Amino acid sequence: MRPWEIQARSNVSGLYNGGFPYAQPAMSNTTHFGYQTVAEEEKVKKVAEVFHSVAAKYDVMNDLMSAGLHRVWKAFTIAQAGVRPGFKVLDIAGGTGDLAKAFAKQAGPTGEVWLTDINESMLKVGRDRLLNKGMITPIALCDAEKLPFPDNYFDRITVAFGLRNMTHKDAALAEMRRVLKPGGKLLVLEFSKVWEPLQRPYDVYSFSVLPWLGKRIANDSDSYRYLAESIRMHPDQETLKGMMETAGLDKVEYFNLTAGVAALHTGIKL
């Protein structure tokens, strides 16, 4: 075991208790949770509650909500990552492990693929799914804003449908850059701003159909209402591109997927 891994595990176990961060001193800063304005520490708890609630039905709901398109978007992300044997890869907010599974196959026995998530319920689903496929990869319950890894360690870092739930996106992006090797690539797959002519029907679908599906399939309409709201509050394509550049990434570009319903942003650490 590497010395930094011992420290990482110590950091992770100290940060969390049952999937929630230990209580911090009172803070005056506020942020958004969907359309609500809440204290920053309250958002962390609310987001955790959402994903504890939906973890068991996460993939089923994703297939229904996107008509399976989320798998196409992830396949595009995997292709753009270009993981090769021996690569070190960090999958942040890795959820049920779709990306980590593909990267583990590509990196092979000489590689190192970490599956991480801030939510214990989601991480357990991802861990069990990988084990059921006969894949043993390191996992960590950790906060993307305080990554427990050394500088310049990973060849590739991915975060799929997780950045919008982070309270301090700028801090998370800076942390991702810190742990990237020079020449390494960050890939951010996220819901984004849809093509303007489709905005109205997309809104109807998001605020009427999604909560209905959530209620019928997962017995939880509120979490899927939050999903729709969080997408609207997330930075659009150009804004996120600028945030990645501000974090110190170079050659930042993005690819609109399905008319901008999702977008893949990529950046290089030079």
Side-chain angles (χ1 to χ4, degrees):
M1 182 180 293
R2 304 172 183 82
W4 67 265
E5 286 186 28
I6 298 173
Q7 182 63 39
R9 291 190 171 99
S10 174
N11 288 346
V12 171
S13 63
L15 277 171
Y16 290 88
N17 179 13
F20 292 96
Y22 287 123
Q24 299 293 322
M27 299 172 61
S28 59
N29 293 338
T30 60
T31 186
H32 58 81
F33 174 75
Y35 289 159
Q36 301 176 49
T37 299
V38 299
E40 288 184 347
E41 63 270 25
E42 186 181 357
K43 176 175 178 174
V44 174
K45 293 180 180 180
K46 284 181 171 290
V47 170
E49 289 167 359
V50 166
F51 286 96
H52 284 311
S53 173
V54 305
K57 298 285 187 178
Y58 187 76
D59 280 343
V60 172
M61 283 298 299
N62 278 349
D63 282 332
L64 288 172
M65 290 187 305
S66 70
L69 283 171
H70 76 103
R71 299 183 184 276
V72 177
W73 302 334
K74 289 173 181 175
F76 181 74
T77 301
I78 292 163
Q80 289 294 316
V83 171
R84 299 196 295 272
F87 268 25
K88 293 180 173 67
V89 183
L90 173 61
D91 185 19
I92 295 173
T96 55
D98 288 345
L99 296 185
K101 179 176 69 175
F103 294 145
K105 290 179 180 178
Q106 294 171 337
T110 60
E112 184 179 323
V113 178
W114 281 81
L115 171 64
T116 72
D117 205 294
I118 196 171
N119 186 272
E120 186 177 10
S121 297
M122 293 294 294
L123 193 61
K124 285 179 177 178
V125 172
R127 175 203 63 192
D128 292 348
R129 189 158 296 177
L130 289 172
L131 288 174
N132 288 340
K133 294 289 184 179
M135 295 180 176
I136 300 175
T137 63
I139 67 170
L141 183 71
C142 65
D143 185 343
E145 297 177 18
K146 302 171 186 176
L147 292 170
F149 300 104
D151 297 353
N152 307 315
Y153 191 77
F154 291 102
D155 298 285
R156 296 290 186 271
I157 297 177
T158 58
V159 53
F161 306 114
L163 185 65
R164 73 179 186 284
N165 298 310
M166 297 175 191
T167 304
H168 304 103
K169 297 175 180 62
D170 52 350
L173 291 169
E175 274 289 271
M176 295 175 206
R177 182 191 180 278
R178 177 183 67 79
V179 302
L180 264 179
K181 290 179 180 178
K185 180 187 280 190
L186 169 64
L187 302 97
V188 181
L189 177 63
E190 189 54 88
F191 292 111
S192 199
K193 185 173 177 59
V194 75
W195 184 43
E196 189 63 35
L198 296 179
Q199 187 63 61
R200 190 168 181 178
Y202 184 56
D203 283 346
V204 172
Y205 174 77
S206 298
F207 292 102
S208 297
V209 178
L210 284 189
W212 180 83
L213 280 173
K215 182 65 175 176
R216 291 294 297 272
I217 305 301
N219 195 32
D220 183 355
S221 60
D222 289 344
S223 292
Y224 290 92
R225 188 171 293 106
Y226 161 74
L227 169 65
E229 293 177 0
S230 69
I231 293 170
R232 300 317 187 277
M233 299 299 292
H234 185 66
D236 64 17
Q237 289 91 326
E238 283 294 324
T239 302
L240 181 53
K241 179 176 183 287
M243 291 173 67
M244 292 175 66
E245 291 169 340
T246 299
L249 292 157
D250 293 283
K251 299 184 178 179
V252 179
E253 59 182 341
Y254 62 84
F255 305 87
N256 280 322
L257 307 173
T258 317
V261 172
L264 174 65
H265 284 68
T266 65
I268 306 293
K269 177 178 177 177
L270 297 181

